[in-house]
Amino acid sequence: MRLPRQLEGAVEMFRRLPGVGEKTALRYALEMTTWSVDQTLFFTKELGNLIDLKRCDECGYFCDTALCSVCSQETRLESGIVCVVENVANCLAVEKSGVYKGVYHVLGGVINPFLGIGPEELTIEKLLERIEKHSLKEVILALNPSIEGDVTSAYLRDKLDKLPHSLIVRRIGLGVPMGGSLEHLDSLTILKALENRRSF
Ligand SMILES: [Zn+2]
């Protein structure tokens, strides 16, 4: 049975989301057909607001103002620790563990020659700038355990070694399986991984 164009369009949009297959997408779209006009308009308006989402001038996390909720807390910066993550989802995952009290730095991905992502596509220069500007003392590399994550960590290590002041550089440890992504781990595993960070 062919779906009407409007329904087909909505199914197609939902299918673009990670983990949503044809069946689930259809279920979402059908559910929305039961909503009032106001509910549907409100839903689409909220999604449209994502266009206006801003990035923190410092760390790259999302925010409403120039600085995000973490960077605007003085104590977080005073800790002297910066946790380097691939993306915002990983930043949220570490924050959810509740133990980390430093600031973040969102790299915007990892080095991946196959996808044409080189170091200059990432916010590495900005990270080095921030470390110098705020005289940060420790860098925790919380990149996902993958070949690309390893390559990027090694590249960062090299860059950090060249900074004029000495730094403690650590990488999160045990408990994070190879090929896994931080956003899919529970808070306890992340907490353990942070505790088990080791010199790198
Ligand atoms: Zn920030």
Side-chain angles (χ1 to χ4, degrees):
M1 195 189 285
R2 224 182 137 262
L3 294 174
R5 195 189 59 79
Q6 293 90 335
L7 208 48
E8 233 173 30
V11 170
E12 195 45 49
M13 290 303 111
F14 283 125
R15 281 199 63 183
R16 293 187 183 192
L17 298 173
V20 179
E22 179 108 37
K23 229 165 123 183
T24 309
L26 180 61
R27 190 154 57 84
Y28 288 167
L30 288 174
E31 170 65 23
M32 284 188 74
T33 63
T34 67
W35 292 3
S36 68
V37 171
D38 278 356
Q39 273 178 306
T40 310
L41 289 177
F42 184 68
F43 186 89
T44 51
K45 183 180 163 289
E46 286 295 317
L47 290 183
N49 285 344
L50 288 173
I51 296 169
D52 302 324
L53 204 54
K54 291 184 185 68
R55 295 268 190 170
C56 173
D57 288 345
E58 283 286 314
C59 70
Y61 177 60
F62 294 134
C63 58
D64 297 321
T65 49
L67 289 183
C68 74
S69 54
V70 172
C71 290
S72 50
Q73 293 174 50
E74 265 175 43
T75 51
R76 303 288 298 247
L77 195 59
E78 281 164 11
S79 71
I81 312 173
V82 58
C83 177
V84 181
V85 289
E86 283 181 40
N87 52 38
V88 168
N90 291 351
C91 182
L92 284 169
V94 175
E95 189 65 5
K96 213 174 128 211
S97 73
V99 281
Y100 179 64
K101 300 295 175 215
V103 291
Y104 293 95
H105 190 83
V106 180
L107 269 190
V110 277
I111 297 170
N112 190 332
F114 297 110
L115 296 176
I117 305 170
E120 53 294 332
E121 263 77 43
L122 309 174
T123 59
I124 295 173
E125 283 307 314
K126 175 78 186 172
L127 170 68
L128 303 176
E129 242 173 64
R130 289 180 73 203
I131 291 170
E132 285 300 288
K133 182 174 144 198
H134 302 296
S135 307
L136 299 176
K137 299 187 291 284
E138 180 178 346
V139 179
I140 303 173
L141 300 173
L143 303 180
N144 293 325
S146 62
I147 293 170
E148 294 78 19
D150 290 351
V151 168
T152 310
S153 296
Y155 182 88
L156 284 172
R157 164 87 258 189
D158 193 50
K159 285 278 176 189
L160 295 168
D161 279 346
K162 290 186 178 120
L163 288 178
H165 75 274
S166 66
L167 267 173
I168 300 168
V169 181
R170 294 202 162 111
R171 191 164 178 199
I172 56 162
L174 308 166
V176 181
M178 193 69 181
S181 179
L182 293 186
E183 78 233 50
H184 300 129
L185 299 175
D186 60 90
S187 294
L188 190 66
T189 310
I190 291 183
L191 191 151
K192 286 282 161 213
L194 280 170
E195 278 175 358
N196 289 325
R197 62 185 188 259
R198 48 180 190 250
S199 294
F200 174 74

